[in-house]
Amino acid sequence: MPTPSLPTPLPPSFAPRLVRTLYGDRATEPRPLASGAWSQAYALTLDGAEVVLRVGAHGEDFAKDEVVARLAGPGLPVPPVLARGEAEGWAYAVSGRVRGTALDDLSGEAVARTLPSLLRALDAAARVDLAGTSGYGIWVPDGRAPHASWPEALLAIGTETPRVPGWRAALVDSGIGLGPVEAGLSALAALTPCLPDARRLIHGDLLSRNVLAGEAGITGVLDWGNALYGDPLYDAAWLLHWWPWYPGWRPGDLHAALLTHWRATGPTQAHLRQRLHAYLLHIALDALAYCACRGRWDEVRAHVGTVLTLASAGGGESVLIPAGA
């Protein structure tokens, strides 16, 4: 899955200046690491310990990382957030560094070996205690999410947000139009009677270098800015949607891992295929809107094709859903 750069360029001098201001000679010069859609990361040492500095425009993402790091149990490796703040109009966070290779960079064989530990980590996320929180959908750091139900949260994908503005007009201007979006929303709405009222922690963005792995399995689950409350099966659908975008990854490996995991962890989940179908529609619509907002038209057309294929299939009949689910 392609990873875009920050929408607003970060001045190269900012991170070194910030580190000097915050820590003086206690810290080494920051070295750039990966850049994602919303932040730039840097490696440095602080008092001899490896840490990561992230800088971006959305401080609430870093605050959500801090919340999850505090709540996560031992089965969910989330690095602690050591400091957060704002400087010169930018938000920043300093976190403990975890070592590992990004899931995106693993070979097909390596990612297949890693999947069982990733699925166990997602189970641990679903066990996080959400006492004191409310609502469904993408939540804010104080624990509130904006929707009264899980179906309502999913169907809101047809509405523009401050982070992803202008995509509806962009689709109209491109000649693609809003027909694929309306078809996808209609198919999603038809599947909502099959959706549970579960309200668990969902990561919602498992690729884009947000999962690190070592020889023994997952070492870190990063960047909880897109985290939601809802049905934890959504994260499995996320993997199913994006898996074909990685040519070296075999769909059969993911399907086998999911089926083995589900069978080992309990009885067959109710409406499993229909729920996966609904979440695949939502993820494709989300990706379509985001890429239209960014003007990435080759990707928009690919996501339009996925939406229309899913919308025309019967509930639970998507080829992306593993046979036997």
Side-chain angles (χ1 to χ4, degrees), residues 176-193:
I176 293 172
L178 295 174
V181 175
E182 299 305 325
L185 288 171
S186 177
L188 176 55
L191 289 163
T192 57

Side-chain angles (χ1 to χ4, degrees), residues 71-78 121 124 127 218:
L71 296 175
L76 180 61
V78 181
R127 292 192 296 269
I218 295 302

Side-chain angles (χ1 to χ4, degrees), residues 158-284:
T159 303
E160 293 186 2
T161 64
R163 283 212 202 182
V164 187
W167 59 266
R168 297 179 69 90
L171 285 172
V172 172
D173 292 344
S174 74
I176 293 172
L178 295 174
V181 175
E182 299 305 325
L185 288 171
S186 177
L188 176 55
L191 289 163
T192 57
C194 298
L195 304 185
D197 59 4
R199 203 176 71 85
R200 301 294 184 185
L201 180 64
I202 302 167
H203 184 276
D205 194 8
L206 289 170
L207 295 166
S208 299
R209 315 184 74 80
N210 291 333
V211 175
L212 301 181
E215 288 298 321
I218 295 302
T219 59
V221 184
L222 317 176
D223 191 356
W224 292 81
N226 205 45
L228 309 91
Y229 300 143
D231 182 359
L233 191 63
Y234 187 94
D235 275 330
W238 184 274
L239 294 173
L240 287 166
H241 173 88
W242 290 111
W243 209 260
W245 289 66
Y246 294 80
W249 295 3
R250 298 181 295 267
D253 290 338
L254 175 59
H255 294 180
L258 287 171
L259 291 172
T260 298
H261 184 77
W262 291 333
R263 289 166 181 162
T265 53
T268 301
Q269 301 180 57
H271 303 298
L272 177 61
R273 296 182 65 84
Q274 291 83 359
R275 288 156 61 196
L276 288 171
H277 199 142
Y279 306 153
L280 287 165
L281 274 162
H282 182 271
I283 292 161

Side-chain angles (χ1 to χ4, degrees), residues 2 20 22 26 30 39 57 62 79 89 93 113 123 143-144 148 154 173 177 198 228 237 267 278 286 288 301-302:
R20 285 194 298 271
L22 291 175
R26 295 170 54 202
S39 66
F62 303 149
R113 290 195 302 269
D123 285 349
R144 292 177 297 113
L154 295 174
D173 292 344
L228 309 91
D286 185 34
L288 191 166
R301 284 184 279 273

Side-chain angles (χ1 to χ4, degrees), residues 8-63:
T8 301
L10 182 65
S13 62
F14 176 79
R17 187 167 62 252
L18 175 65
V19 169
R20 285 194 298 271
T21 300
L22 291 175
Y23 301 117
D25 59 9
R26 295 170 54 202
T28 59
E29 188 82 357
R31 295 180 292 102
L33 291 171
S35 174
W38 308 110
S39 66
Q40 168 69 54
Y42 302 85
L44 62 150
T45 61
L46 175 62
D47 296 328
E50 289 189 313
V51 298
V52 172
L53 166 69
R54 288 171 297 152
V55 179
H58 300 283
E60 63 270 24
D61 290 359
F62 303 149

